[in-house]
Amino acid sequence: MTSTPRIPGVHSEPAATRTVTGLLVYLLAGLYFGVVLVKSEAASWYRIQEMFRFESFHMFGLIGSAVLTGMVATLLLRRSGLNSRDGQTIRVTDKEKGWRRYVFGGLTFGVGWGLAGVCPGPIFTLLGAGIWPMLLVLAFALLGTYLYGTFKDRLPH
Amino acid sequence: MIDLLTALRSPLPWYVGGPLIGLTVPLLLWLGNKGFGISANLRHACAILLPDAIKPGFFRYDWRKERWNLMFAGGLILGGIVAGALLANPEPTRLSAAGAQSVQELGVQLRPGLVPAELTDLSNPGVWLLLAVSGLLVGFGTRYGGGCTSGHAITGLSTLQVPSLIATVSFFVGGILSANVLLPLFMAVMA
């Protein structure tokens, strides 16, 4: 980003404005995703219960087609040689190797997900939809995150 | 006009909603090489809120570099206002017959809305317990496991990462156990 020469009269936006507009697109991306979460019913407690009881194809079709679309579109984006908006090569950060943290952490999250039927995205979206008790879920999710940060060195990873 | 409003209020079928969810991964990569994930915001919020004196090392980093993620979470709230409050589906979620029966057996009525009234009724102390335990496990588990549904099940799987496959299978094992065994126990005690 810094390697692009700034041409007076062409690149005249002050840096602060650029940061704000640069961040604003993520607000819009979040708005898009939030609307999709509600409209696809991924934020519905009822749908999550139905999924974990294998009583409908809806959520499986939703997650399956999301993964397939993400896979193909990401592959095409990387093959296209297109750079990111700020001129960088598109790169995917690999997840850390290992299995313990993914099994133990994954199970813990899964149990929480099945209880109130909310994963982190819907916590925010449901709050927006006016479901205030989600504030309690959010507060305890922050406490859980804090506890992990406190005890992480004593846990198998 | 009436037809347009009806369409906007209606839910999307899975084969439309799923691809729209999946497109978030390349969208965020193109916008700024960002890895799509939401639970990291809980860490950023802790990093912002905790006073320096008591802050564990896990929360000592420059959260300002991750502001995009907080903006994304802000967008999720806006999305909830737009789709969940202004364009709310007036019909109850169209569950399968088996799904509708299971929900009823849990003591929950199938009404319009995303979360049943029985689970948001804060006059019931059991609801406080359920929401608190659920939130605690979600917060702890997502950080321990390094991601949630968006980071692992959507992003990780669509970029072919083995750790995300392990995490996603674990999410489901935990969720199946919880929805089929723990939640009925909770609901029985709460009733």
Side-chain angles (χ1 to χ4, degrees):
Chain A
M1 203 158 103
T2 45
S3 62
T4 320
R6 289 175 55 83
I7 307 163
V10 177
H11 296 138
S12 57
E13 282 176 276
T17 320
R18 270 192 311 147
T19 312
V20 172
T21 52
L23 281 174
L24 210 59
V25 295
Y26 297 108
L27 190 78
L28 294 176
L31 170 67
Y32 162 81
F33 191 66
V35 169
V36 175
L37 276 181
V38 173
K39 286 293 146 196
S40 67
E41 299 183 322
S44 162
W45 176 90
Y46 298 100
R47 285 290 189 200
I48 303 295
Q49 293 304 320
E50 201 187 36
M51 165 179 77
F52 282 140
R53 291 182 170 75
F54 298 99
E55 288 164 342
S56 159
F57 182 70
H58 181 87
M59 286 300 295
F60 295 99
L62 200 69
I63 297 175
S65 61
V67 170
L68 206 64
T69 307
M71 201 184 287
V72 172
T74 305
L75 194 76
L76 289 177
L77 178 68
R78 297 179 77 182
R79 288 259 172 96
S80 72
L82 199 73
N83 285 339
S84 70
R85 194 174 50 117
D86 51 9
Q88 297 176 37
T89 311
I90 304 280
R91 60 188 151 72
V92 175
T93 315
D94 284 334
K95 310 277 180 196
E96 258 174 67
K97 296 271 174 281
W99 61 271
R100 286 181 185 84
R101 66 176 305 175
Y102 301 113
V103 171
F104 303 138
L107 284 173
T108 312
F109 163 54
V111 171
W113 188 16
L115 273 183
V118 285
C119 47
I123 293 179
F124 293 105
T125 303
L126 292 172
L127 263 179
I131 302 167
W132 304 116
M134 287 299 136
L135 277 175
L136 187 67
V137 180
L138 180 62
F140 275 87
L142 288 173
L143 178 64
T145 306
Y146 170 73
L147 290 176
Y148 171 73
T150 305
F151 297 111
K152 75 180 275 277
D153 294 336
R154 287 181 232 170
L155 298 165
H157 279 78
Chain B
M1 266 316 275
I2 300 295
D3 286 348
L4 180 67
L5 195 61
T6 309
L8 288 173
R9 282 176 172 168
S10 306
L12 296 171
W14 65 263
Y15 49 84
V16 177
L20 291 178
I21 291 174
L23 285 176
T24 319
V25 178
L27 173 69
L28 289 175
L29 283 172
W30 178 72
L31 283 177
N33 258 329
K34 306 299 185 205
F36 170 48
I38 298 159
S39 61
N41 278 305
L42 301 170
R43 182 183 183 182
H44 306 327
C46 284
I48 295 169
L49 294 172
L50 289 169
D52 258 344
I54 60 154
K55 202 188 255 189
F58 185 66
F59 302 108
R60 292 180 189 273
Y61 59 94
D62 185 9
W63 59 264
R64 284 174 189 81
K65 285 189 181 150
E66 308 295 331
R67 272 180 306 191
W68 76 271
N69 207 202
L70 293 159
M71 291 294 276
F72 190 81
L76 287 176
I77 297 178
L78 287 182
I81 296 173
V82 172
L86 301 178
L87 299 172
N89 181 12
E91 305 284 325
T93 308
R94 207 168 290 170
L95 297 178
S96 66
Q101 200 191 334
S102 294
V103 162
Q104 202 179 15
E105 280 167 9
L106 279 173
V108 168
Q109 276 195 46
L110 190 51
R111 298 187 209 87
L114 296 160
V115 185
E118 290 84 352
L119 275 116
T120 49
D121 172 18
L122 293 182
S123 68
N124 184 343
V127 168
W128 285 80
L129 187 66
L130 179 80
L131 297 180
V133 170
S134 174
L136 196 71
L137 295 173
V138 166
F140 187 87
T142 50
R143 251 5 321 117
Y144 191 4
C148 58
T149 332
S150 56
H152 280 309
I154 306 295
T155 312
L157 289 188
S158 69
T159 54
L160 308 172
Q161 309 209 27
V162 178
S164 293
L165 181 63
I166 302 172
T168 305
V169 170
S170 307
F171 295 168
F172 271 86
V173 173
I176 290 162
L177 178 81
S178 164
N180 289 283
V181 181
L182 294 180
L183 185 65
L185 287 176
F186 251 104
M187 298 303 282
V189 173
M190 274 159 59

